[in-house]
Amino acid sequence: MRYEFLVTGRVSDTVRAAFPEFDVADGPAGGTSIYGPVRDWAALRGVLARLDALGLTVVEMRKLPD
């Protein structure tokens, strides 16, 4: 499975480093897109917890085609 998480604002290099398994790119309307493989539901919950712990606001989450 591959997912994309769109968060508000531009993220710092520290946040980018917290997601080494994902690609991070500037998203639409001043947000940031964090996307890549998520192996299962437990890993998905872990990614969401990591985003929350970093204080990021997820405005959209979607499954991408493989």
Side-chain angles (χ1 to χ4, degrees), residues 19 21 38 40-53:
F19 295 95
E21 72 276 26
V38 178
D40 57 26
W41 291 109
L44 179 60
R45 287 190 299 270
V47 171
L48 292 171
R50 204 176 344 161
L51 291 163
D52 183 53

Side-chain angles (χ1 to χ4, degrees), residues 5-11 16 24-28 30-34:
F5 307 90
L6 183 62
V7 300
T8 57
R10 301 288 186 232
V11 298
R16 289 173 183 268
V24 180
D26 292 344
T32 301
S33 175
I34 301 171

